[in-house]
Amino acid sequence: MRRRITRLTPPKAKATTRTTAATLAAGCTALLLTLTACAGASTADTPSGDKNGDTPPKAQAQAHAQARAQARAGIPRAPVPRGTGSRVPYDFNGDGHRDLVIDGLVKAPEDSHGDDAGIGIVYGTDDRPLDPAARQLLSARANAAKYGDTLPAAFDSEAACDLDRDGFTDLIVSTDPPYNGIGAPPVPLQLLFGSPEGLTGKAVTLRIPQQARFGNEWPELPVCGDFDGDGRTDLAVTTGAGQVTFLHGPFTRAGAPRSAELLPDGGPYLYAPEPRRDTDGDGYDDLVATTRPHAPGQAGRGTLLLGSAKGPVRPGGAYTFATEKLPKAPLHTTGTTRTTLLAHGDYDGDRKTDTVVRTYRGERQDLIALYPAGNTKDPVVTFSTALFLP
């Protein structure tokens, strides 16, 4: 049976082989056209409404429907800008602007128990650091590779890096391939390659040679990095018995690494160190192995595996993920809200680290906000993932 991996991402914990119910957005969407922050802030409010502290269902549904309509009307879709390639991280269309990947998109009330809508991509443009008008929806139906005759239902982002060295960031996604429990399970990881138009076309299944796998474990939790210091992006993937599948880049468009091997030391969960992948500045990216899932911006402990010419094999001692105090996106709602870190990165080109957070209430409402470096009060971009609703 496949080992389930819990990832603490909004709106609730989810597995790498997940079909996750997402949330429906409300509030702040009327101001989306100007891409400025909504007034006010959201915390664990004292709700008004019925005796349980919830808005009456009929009124709530009407508010959701109105918010969804405002979101779509406020920011009409614009073409993804064409790029020529860059070295900017998370730049899927290669135009020199960092882009944002979003899982767990909100849903309409009538579809609250359905499958995930897919993965949302919001592109950076010359006009603004993240432009919700330049957006793209990736789904299993439109973009996943089949396993035999079966199309996977799950389609969730895992990592992003330029695997084929063409100047366009590629996306690694997790799926839920069919498995009869006999022998080694199929590889659930697929690759979507970037292009001047962004992430388009069909994914290909990541090819992991049998000698780089262990037993009948599922390869999961890929981490990007130049672990062997040769200037090419590699992938480290979990495998059984605390080992690591090390896939040397570059990768072909068929999903094959240059070479692959099994490393002896690792853990059930793998992550990149924060905020720098190369913790000791020696030119080799490093890796963190943990025994428990780690959510970005939250405290955690693990073991540091230092990169080397042979990959992340040198012991680096204990590693601690620091707790980060996050600003709250100004989501107008009643009830308790939660805020999670979506990304850190330079979105406005000033070579300083900006912060993107997502504030949500249960599975009904969300708001994403981009805060520039040094400013945790005034987001420069806000939008709801209701933009991706059909």
Side-chain angles (χ1 to χ4, degrees):
M1 181 176 294
R2 185 172 185 178
R3 176 167 55 87
R4 303 285 292 185
I5 304 296
T6 300
R7 296 171 58 199
L8 304 179
T9 50
K12 62 181 181 179
K14 58 185 177 179
T16 57
T17 57
R18 58 205 163 161
T19 301
T20 308
T23 55
L24 179 73
C28 296
T29 49
L31 298 183
L32 288 174
L33 181 60
T34 59
L35 296 177
T36 55
C38 299
S42 172
T43 58
D45 302 318
T46 301
S48 60
D50 63 21
K51 64 181 180 180
N52 296 319
D54 293 325
T55 304
K58 184 176 180 180
Q60 192 177 62
Q62 291 173 343
H64 295 333
Q66 183 180 14
R68 180 175 54 172
Q70 287 175 334
R72 292 198 301 266
I75 304 183
R77 190 181 299 273
V80 173
R82 286 183 59 89
T84 58
S86 79
R87 291 190 175 185
V88 173
Y90 279 78
D91 184 8
F92 301 111
N93 59 330
D95 67 346
H97 300 287
R98 190 180 180 111
D99 310 318
L100 180 68
V101 182
I102 313 164
D103 284 300
L105 307 177
V106 299
K107 295 182 182 180
E110 63 272 15
D111 194 34
S112 60
H113 299 293
D115 291 336
D116 281 345
I119 303 167
I121 308 293
V122 174
Y123 288 86
T125 67
D126 290 335
D127 295 331
R128 46 184 68 92
L130 281 176
D131 188 351
R135 60 187 183 268
Q136 204 170 34
L137 178 64
L138 308 174
S139 67
R141 181 179 297 274
N143 303 105
K146 289 184 177 181
Y147 293 91
D149 295 329
T150 303
L151 193 66
F155 201 66
D156 302 286
S157 71
E158 293 291 341
C161 45
D162 187 359
L163 294 172
D164 57 354
R165 302 186 72 196
D166 66 350
F168 301 94
T169 302
D170 311 310
L171 186 67
I172 303 102
V173 299
S174 63
T175 66
D176 56 347
Y179 176 51
N180 61 9
I182 301 174
V187 176
L189 302 174
Q190 297 188 4
L191 310 179
L192 261 175
F193 291 96
S195 74
E197 294 81 25
L199 293 165
T200 60
K202 291 286 186 178
V204 298
T205 300
L206 176 65
R207 296 188 178 184
I208 301 180
Q210 192 57 43
Q211 73 269 16
R213 299 184 65 176
F214 181 84
N216 294 334
E217 297 290 339
W218 292 82
E220 298 180 291
L221 294 174
V223 178
C224 297
D226 182 11
F227 303 110
D228 54 12
D230 66 354
R232 302 163 180 173
T233 300
D234 314 308
L235 283 179
V237 182
T238 59
T239 188
Q243 301 180 84
V244 175
T245 293
F246 181 35
L247 305 175
H248 297 258
F251 291 71
T252 70
R253 281 298 182 109
R258 177 171 54 89
S259 61
E261 57 195 289
L262 199 60
L263 302 182
D265 296 317
Y269 304 93
L270 299 177
Y271 300 96
E274 300 171 354
R276 294 178 54 193
R277 295 176 182 270
D278 182 4
T279 59
D280 54 4
D282 64 353
Y284 302 97
D285 286 343
D286 307 317
L287 190 65
V288 179
T290 70
T291 58
R292 298 180 178 181
H294 166 68
Q298 296 186 10
R301 295 181 180 276
T303 300
L304 188 64
L305 304 173
L306 298 174
S308 70
K310 296 183 179 180
V313 295
R314 294 187 296 132
Y319 182 85
T320 301
F321 291 99
T323 303
E324 182 176 350
K325 185 177 181 180
L326 299 174
K328 291 181 179 295
L331 172 65
H332 288 294
T333 184
T334 58
T336 301
T337 62
R338 295 179 183 274
T339 297
T340 57
L341 175 64
L342 281 188
H344 279 313
D346 179 11
Y347 287 90
D348 54 12
D350 64 355
R351 299 187 178 183
K352 297 179 182 179
T353 301
D354 310 312
T355 300
V356 184
V357 298
R358 182 181 188 182
T359 297
Y360 60 96
R361 182 191 178 213
E363 298 182 358
R364 293 288 183 176
Q365 303 166 332
D366 81 339
L367 191 70
I368 291 173
L370 168 63
Y371 291 86
N375 183 345
T376 59
K377 293 183 179 180
D378 303 309
V380 294
V381 175
T382 61
F383 61 92
S384 164
T385 62
L387 287 170
F388 294 97
L389 289 171

